[in-house]
Amino acid sequence: MSLHDEKPEQVEAENFDFGLKKKKKKKAVPDFEEVAAAETETAAPEASNGAEAGEGDEDAVPEGDDAGNMFADLKKKKKKKKVTLEGEEPAQEEGAEGTKSEAFDFGEKKKKKKRRPDLAEFEAQLREGQTGEDGAEEEGTETSGAKKEGDDTWQGSNRDYTYNELLSRVFKILRQNNPELVGDKKRYTIAPPQVMKEGTKKSVFANVVDICKRMHRQPDHVIQYLFAELGTTGSIDGSQRLVIKGRFQQKQIENVLKHYFMEYVTCKTCKSADTILTKENRLFFLQCESCGSTRTVSAIKTGFMAQTRDARKAARANA
Amino acid sequence: MSETIQNLASYDPFADTGEESDLKVQGYIHIRVQQRNGRKTLTTVQGLPADLDQKRILKAFKKEFACNGTVVQDEDLGEVIQLQGDHRVKIQQFLASEGLASKDKIKIHGF
């Protein structure tokens, strides 16, 4: 159910919508069947598409975006935001369209309003006239026929609704009633690390403590991660700056910090950065303050370190 | 009574598994980069599946990335491939395209 799979179908469905709507207007009242079918058909895929597209946007964008934007300056962020908004807008519109044709909503079309009160009666009629009108209807909706059957037609038939259908319905209504939920989420930013060179073989990371404070993490933990990832060592000097052995540029440190943020700060469930890291029985747990979920995070491991010339020299000196 | 039951349980499920077995169980392939002097770097590939011939992979790496390298035998990590230069992304792509490992099993470390 990825976004890519949905896209073409969505377009198809939309194309069909127009056709069907026209038909709706033209046709007389009696053929409810088709209207209902068309309706459920238009409502369902679109709604699910809208919901999914929205979700996809929200899910997919912040991951990379958060990481990418975390340190970016405002200008960049604004640009990106625009992009995400553009992506989201069509989804929202579709959601709205889907709801328009939804039976239970206050549609603008008169026909629907007319039809709404006698739903039960109409359904009874449906069952009777199903066989007769089915053929004619399927001609009109050839391609979407399969989709309609599979997706969401509990209104037009006497079978029970499935969990997924109800779920997408709930999300659709939720989104429609609370537009603020759809909007893109608050971004968490960290000040860019200030990295300077100290001599030729050392780098100084000046605002470690500040960044750690902003992330609500122990500097020790952050530094341990930094050293493990960079494969070096270092120390904290008198004025709370981190001196790292080896030459590193700001963007390199930034990258590592981004990864740290993703691993140990953001909540995987709600993407919030409002989390606490606790240690229990030698395991690190990340607890989210905003959604309450807890997950374990992997301990920091240095892994294999290749023997460098320095180590070899030291070994030789010892021997 | 309780003593006998205690004695029956010879296997302790809460026993410490140790670091190295943990590393192996997870099945991740770690690709790391290490700084040498100047702008030179070393890339290490740790945790390749044991059923693969590391030497052949190394040979392929060397040919593909035009660099030198060795297979290092580590006490608790097994065989580790070392390559000269930063080839992290290329290694990941290579492993994925050859079908040796899926991309989500490969972890790239370093800056």
Side-chain angles (χ1 to χ4, degrees):
Chain A
M1 291 278 267
S2 81
L3 256 172
H4 300 284
D5 299 336
E6 289 299 316
K7 276 277 151 70
E9 264 177 331
Q10 191 177 320
V11 175
E12 239 171 63
E14 261 182 304
N15 286 343
F16 265 104
D17 280 356
F18 296 124
L20 283 174
K21 265 172 203 160
K22 265 184 200 165
K23 238 183 237 168
K24 255 188 258 170
K25 274 170 200 161
K26 265 187 228 158
K27 276 193 179 162
V29 187
D31 51 352
F32 288 124
E33 154 87 78
E34 173 151 4
V35 177
E39 210 175 70
T40 45
E41 188 255 310
T42 53
E46 262 183 19
S48 61
N49 275 337
E52 246 146 35
E55 263 177 6
D57 267 347
E58 273 166 31
D59 283 352
V61 171
E63 277 263 353
D65 223 16
D66 251 356
N69 269 346
M70 211 171 282
F71 300 92
D73 34 344
L74 272 172
K75 265 188 202 167
K76 231 184 182 175
K77 215 184 286 169
K78 264 179 194 162
K79 254 190 204 165
K80 281 238 171 150
K81 250 183 200 168
K82 253 186 203 166
V83 172
T84 55
L85 272 179
E86 269 164 23
E88 259 165 338
E89 261 170 349
Q92 278 172 351
E93 272 168 22
E94 268 150 36
E97 216 183 310
T99 54
K100 249 187 239 165
S101 45
E102 235 279 328
F104 303 94
D105 286 304
F106 311 104
E108 281 134 23
K109 280 159 201 159
K110 271 180 191 168
K111 198 167 270 177
K112 247 156 256 158
K113 268 188 188 166
K114 236 190 263 167
R115 197 177 45 72
R116 215 166 39 139
D118 49 16
L119 239 179
E121 186 194 309
F122 146 70
E123 249 172 31
Q125 252 185 357
L126 261 189
R127 255 164 256 147
E128 285 167 14
Q130 208 152 28
T131 45
E133 277 180 3
D134 240 351
E137 188 229 301
E138 251 161 40
E139 273 175 15
T141 57
E142 270 167 7
T143 38
S144 53
K147 168 99 177 158
K148 179 185 65 196
E149 272 163 47
D151 219 277
D152 173 292
T153 41
W154 78 88
Q155 284 176 18
S157 67
N158 39 7
R159 74 180 173 89
D160 262 345
Y161 33 71
T162 64
Y163 173 73
N164 279 331
E165 286 164 353
L166 279 192
L167 194 68
S168 59
R169 194 169 129 73
V170 161
F171 269 104
K172 189 175 64 198
I173 294 169
L174 194 74
R175 256 162 242 263
Q176 166 204 345
N177 291 341
N178 307 289
E180 69 269 19
L181 288 178
V182 184
D184 61 347
K185 299 214 172 106
K186 187 173 132 198
R187 296 204 194 288
Y188 296 93
T189 49
I190 312 178
Q194 291 163 7
V195 181
M196 292 157 288
K197 274 179 194 165
E198 193 176 89
T200 49
K201 292 198 169 171
K202 278 178 193 164
S203 311
V204 178
F205 180 6
N207 56 349
V208 227
V209 182
D210 180 43
I211 286 175
C212 293
K213 252 185 211 156
R214 279 173 190 238
M215 295 195 294
H216 306 288
R217 284 299 105 96
Q218 289 297 311
D220 283 344
H221 192 253
V222 179
I223 289 165
Q224 201 192 340
Y225 183 81
L226 272 176
F227 286 161
E229 284 296 293
L230 297 172
T232 48
T233 49
S235 55
I236 285 195
D237 73 356
S239 48
Q240 297 289 295
R241 301 183 311 168
L242 181 67
V243 181
I244 309 169
K245 239 172 109 182
R247 293 205 298 197
F248 295 99
Q249 274 139 24
Q250 186 196 323
K251 65 168 185 225
Q252 294 175 324
I253 303 283
E254 206 177 288
N255 245 328
V256 180
L257 278 177
K258 257 182 235 164
H259 283 128
Y260 180 86
F261 201 80
M262 304 270 276
E263 267 293 314
Y264 295 99
V265 183
T266 43
C267 170
K268 284 265 154 61
T269 326
C270 68
K271 305 243 164 19
S272 130
D274 192 12
T275 53
I276 329 175
L277 193 69
T278 46
K279 197 177 185 181
E280 276 170 50
N281 306 325
R282 318 197 310 179
L283 288 172
F284 279 106
F285 284 93
L286 190 73
Q287 191 171 15
C288 180
E289 289 282 85
S290 50
C291 75
S293 73
T294 316
R295 70 177 173 105
T296 53
V297 287
S298 52
I300 296 169
K301 284 186 210 112
T302 316
F304 175 76
M305 290 298 293
Q307 201 182 26
T308 53
R309 185 189 271 185
D310 296 349
R312 237 171 281 142
K313 239 187 235 169
R316 215 176 294 141
N318 284 339
Chain B
M1 198 58 194
S2 64
E3 217 176 48
T4 55
I5 291 168
Q6 278 276 313
N7 289 344
L8 275 174
S10 57
Y11 168 68
D12 181 10
F14 299 108
D16 188 19
T17 53
E19 285 284 278
E20 97 244 37
S21 65
D22 192 30
L23 278 177
K24 272 171 195 161
V25 164
Q26 283 188 349
Y28 276 115
I29 296 173
H30 297 272
I31 303 174
R32 291 194 172 78
V33 77
Q34 218 175 319
Q35 275 207 333
R36 282 180 57 227
N37 35 0
R39 53 182 292 180
K40 294 181 180 172
T41 47
L42 268 179
T43 312
T44 61
V45 185
Q46 168 203 318
L48 279 173
D51 54 327
L52 296 174
D53 187 353
Q54 308 262 333
K55 272 191 183 162
R56 275 189 70 186
I57 293 175
L58 175 72
K59 206 151 202 174
F61 277 164
K62 282 161 73 168
K63 188 133 194 167
E64 184 83 11
F65 310 139
C67 65
N68 208 350
T70 55
V71 177
V72 178
Q73 188 69 44
D74 195 81
E75 295 111 48
D76 37 44
L77 299 173
E79 287 175 318
V80 179
I81 290 181
Q82 265 185 43
L83 294 170
Q84 288 177 6
D86 185 357
H87 302 291
R88 283 171 298 164
V89 184
K90 281 185 266 171
I91 288 173
Q92 190 199 29
Q93 279 164 357
F94 182 82
L95 289 178
S97 68
E98 297 295 310
L100 299 174
S102 58
K103 264 197 177 165
D104 50 316
K105 282 282 173 201
I106 302 173
K107 272 198 174 170
I108 293 185
H109 298 266
F111 36 81

